[in-house]
Amino acid sequence: MKKHISYSEWKTWHICPHYHKLTYIDKIGGFEGNIYTAFGSALHEVCEHRLTNPKKYSTLEAQKDLFKKQLVKELKKLPQEAKEDAAANHNLEQWKTQGYEIIDEMYESLLDKFGEIGKDWWVLTAEELLMVPFDDYDFKFKGFIDLVIATSDNKIHLIDWKTTSWGWNSRKKSDSTLAYQLVYYKYFYAKKHDVDPKDVECHFALLKRTAKPGKKVEFVSVTTGPKRIENALNTLNAAVYNITNKRYTKNKLNCRSCKDRFGVCEFYQTEYCS
């Protein structure tokens, strides 16, 4: 049995422990990607390389060329059904244009948010790996932080890029399940580097495909105080405890209507849902 858990795995367990068993333990089915995830992965590559290899990717032309190549690469990796859907139901040239429009604003949004790079802030790492032990279990938390920067006021900021259509409504911005991703990142980043959690701040950076020009990127700061960290760790520990003890209760409330999985579970009323 593997000895680590990620936010994505915790979220799957949180939605339905039985679904977690089918996808993570039994390796049956599970989501394998679509045009939306391919688009997001391609943009992530641009965001990372723009900041970690600025000499090569300082121009918009170089960034857009990287995005185009990565999008093609990610689309080729999709399962056949998702490839067919992308080709039949989506205007790929329009998706490329939407990606280019986000790229036009991505770097400037960081300057607007944090000030002058090299003076007010600087990049510490991109795609930083977390593989940090729990306090009470022989388990590790695994994650990748998209971007870590330090600011001149001695704060560290953890940033997670999220691709969306038009953005998030107020309910999603305050969703604890979603926020826990950055809560976990903050806690385990601080533990890994032995820094005071009070000096670590967290943000989602929304990359919005259909938003109006000038509003393609939006920062959403996440509250990560001691009480929320405590609550997040409690549910993470509960997941590890139940997974370790092979307790996979079915959450019947999420079989036919699950806001976190966009509707009906693919295992509903199949041989795997008994």
Side-chain angles (χ1 to χ4, degrees), residues 219-232:
F219 283 89
V220 177
S221 297
V222 173
T223 301
T224 56
K227 186 60 179 178
R228 179 167 258 187
I229 291 175
E230 179 184 353
N231 292 339

Side-chain angles (χ1 to χ4, degrees), residues 15-32:
I15 293 169
C16 179
H18 182 69
Y19 183 85
H20 171 275
K21 176 183 181 295
L22 293 175
T23 54
Y24 279 89
I25 308 300
D26 300 338
K27 307 295 184 183
I28 300 171
F31 180 66
E32 297 182 82

Side-chain angles (χ1 to χ4, degrees), residues 225-241:
K227 186 60 179 178
R228 179 167 258 187
I229 291 175
E230 179 184 353
N231 292 339
L233 291 176
N234 284 341
T235 189
L236 186 64
N237 284 330
V240 171
Y241 175 82

Side-chain angles (χ1 to χ4, degrees), residues 104-115:
D104 285 340
E105 299 182 21
M106 183 276 293
Y107 184 68
E108 290 299 322
S109 72
L110 288 167
L111 302 183
D112 290 342
K113 175 71 173 176
F114 297 107

